[in-house]
Amino acid sequence: LQRVHVLPQTVLYIADAETFSGHEECHEQKKARKRNSKETAIALEKLLPKRCQVLGLVTPGIVVTPMGSSSNQPQEIEEGEAGFALLFPKIDGVKIHTFHFSKDLKNRVFDESKFAEAGLKNNPDLRVVLLFGYNSWKSGATRFLHQIVNPLNEKSIILAGGQVESFTSLTSENNNAQPGDACGVVGLAFSGPQIQSATVLLDQDVADERTAEAAMQRLKAANIPERNTIGFMFACVGRGYRHYKTKRNMEADAFRKFFPNVPLFGFFGHGEIGCDRIVTGNFVLRECNDIKDDLLHGYTTVMTLIHLGSTK
């Protein structure tokens, strides 16, 4: 039996804040912890090939499907240390790339030519954009996020994501840049004619098993092939077991009921990006409403499927 090694081209890893920084008890310790978080990121990236694109995020909680277990039950981990890494190899007909826009303190207007450089404009094969805002508490962060999201609010692409605590890695950056001091948006863009995707928004009214399952049923109705497909869940920290009256894992369980063979990954964050977008076979969007979609939310969950094409 030959051993086959598949090298990752793109890696998305997400860990909760405790994994990266632990509990800070005093100012001195905080400084030590800050260094520790960078060290953790560097150690992790040393395991990966040099030319690999890496995007690393830190969030308040994690959604993960543990690999290697036969049951593969997705878990919402709202407390304690947890993390995961998704390793994407080279896939025929699919291009995945990372991007980063940071807020320029001198310029109030965002230079939209940067979208084309990042493959987010004039790219007919663009299908899905996962977007993550960081340092959202900074002054001007929400306005900046709107400047990024609004031009991408087109009917031919799926947008999903949320606000994270920080990002630890983006290999295309030069290492002298200090991402910790600015606010901005990082993400992954998926391009390729064979990619299919759909997404639903679970708003505040979705608060029990029945309504959560009804949302998954709408996602199921998109008829996205389930082989070679990943599920993403981006939820508000205010949801989870508090929202469902102490019942844990409600949304992940509802997802698994309708998609037993699709792994689910994601996080609990400080705001969600997405809307209802169910896509037909020829990649024309079936509208849920005629007005431009509102993409920024709070106290919601965005559930997204990304199908990367059939394997030969």
Side-chain angles (χ1 to χ4, degrees):
L1 194 69
Q2 280 186 310
R3 293 182 69 174
V4 179
H5 294 273
V6 179
L7 289 178
Q9 278 211 328
T10 310
V11 174
L12 169 67
Y13 73 83
I14 303 180
D16 71 283
E18 278 180 50
T19 304
F20 265 82
S21 54
H23 296 290
E24 287 122 5
E25 284 156 29
C26 66
H27 185 65
E28 279 309 301
Q29 198 179 358
K30 191 168 183 175
K31 268 201 257 185
R33 289 294 190 188
K34 267 219 156 63
R35 273 202 306 276
N36 182 28
S37 103
K38 205 163 181 81
E39 280 165 21
T40 309
I42 289 166
L44 188 60
E45 284 172 40
K46 276 191 175 145
L47 303 172
L48 299 166
K50 280 241 181 321
R51 288 196 303 275
C52 186
Q53 303 183 89
V54 183
L55 174 56
L57 305 172
V58 177
T59 59
I62 292 292
V63 179
V64 63
T65 304
M67 291 291 134
S69 69
S70 55
S71 59
N72 281 358
Q73 187 144 359
Q75 295 170 12
E76 298 174 21
I77 304 169
E78 297 181 60
E79 286 119 14
E81 295 186 15
F84 65 83
L86 287 177
L87 282 65
F88 296 97
K90 185 179 190 310
I91 303 164
D92 286 342
V94 174
K95 186 173 191 296
I96 304 171
H97 64 265
T98 56
F99 58 86
H100 177 209
F101 305 121
S102 61
K103 187 170 179 291
D104 184 344
L105 298 173
K106 297 185 285 293
N107 268 332
R108 277 180 67 79
V109 181
F110 179 73
D111 175 6
E112 284 196 19
S113 68
K114 291 180 180 171
F115 280 125
E117 283 170 39
L120 301 177
K121 265 283 182 262
N122 310 326
N123 176 2
D125 285 340
L126 184 63
R127 294 291 181 259
V128 187
V129 179
L130 298 183
L131 277 177
F132 311 107
Y134 62 89
N135 289 352
S136 55
W137 48 273
K138 291 258 183 185
S139 163
T142 306
R143 186 175 173 275
F144 183 72
L145 185 58
H146 273 283
Q147 287 182 321
I148 303 298
V149 164
N150 291 348
L152 296 174
N153 192 356
E154 293 175 9
K155 297 307 177 195
S156 58
I157 54 176
I158 297 274
L159 281 177
Q163 300 271 23
V164 301
E165 303 243 317
S166 59
F167 84 91
T168 54
S169 305
L170 197 66
T171 39
S172 58
E173 295 295 297
N174 62 27
N175 288 331
N176 307 329
Q178 280 300 317
D181 301 332
C183 63
V185 174
V186 292
L188 284 178
F190 294 78
S191 306
Q194 70 209 40
I195 294 172
Q196 293 181 49
S197 183
T199 176
V200 293
L201 181 75
L202 285 67
D203 62 20
Q204 292 178 35
D205 297 342
V206 177
D208 59 28
E209 199 168 1
R210 184 183 59 82
T211 48
E213 288 186 2
M216 301 310 153
Q217 211 154 5
R218 287 194 294 118
L219 192 57
K220 185 85 173 173
N223 282 325
I224 301 292
E226 289 176 34
R227 193 171 161 76
N228 228 15
T229 293
I230 312 167
F232 286 98
M233 171 178 164
F234 304 115
C236 178
V237 283
R239 285 180 79 85
Y241 70 88
R242 295 170 195 82
H243 181 69
Y244 287 103
K245 311 286 186 286
T246 72
K247 194 158 185 190
R248 289 181 182 268
N249 228 60
M250 179 78 86
E251 292 175 347
D253 285 348
F255 178 87
R256 185 169 187 258
K257 182 173 178 180
F258 288 90
F259 303 97
N261 302 309
V262 177
L264 183 67
F265 299 96
F267 58 72
F268 289 90
H270 302 296
E272 302 75 60
I273 300 168
C275 64
D276 272 12
R277 294 208 167 171
I278 307 291
V279 173
T280 57
N282 58 354
F283 219 83
V284 174
L285 226 52
R286 277 209 308 272
E287 303 289 322
C288 293
N289 49 19
D290 296 326
I291 51 174
K292 239 184 177 353
D293 295 304
D294 183 15
L295 291 169
L296 304 181
H297 311 276
Y299 300 105
T300 63
T301 298
V302 175
M303 282 283 188
T304 304
L305 294 173
I306 302 178
H307 170 68
L308 298 169
S310 58
T311 46
K312 303 248 180 330

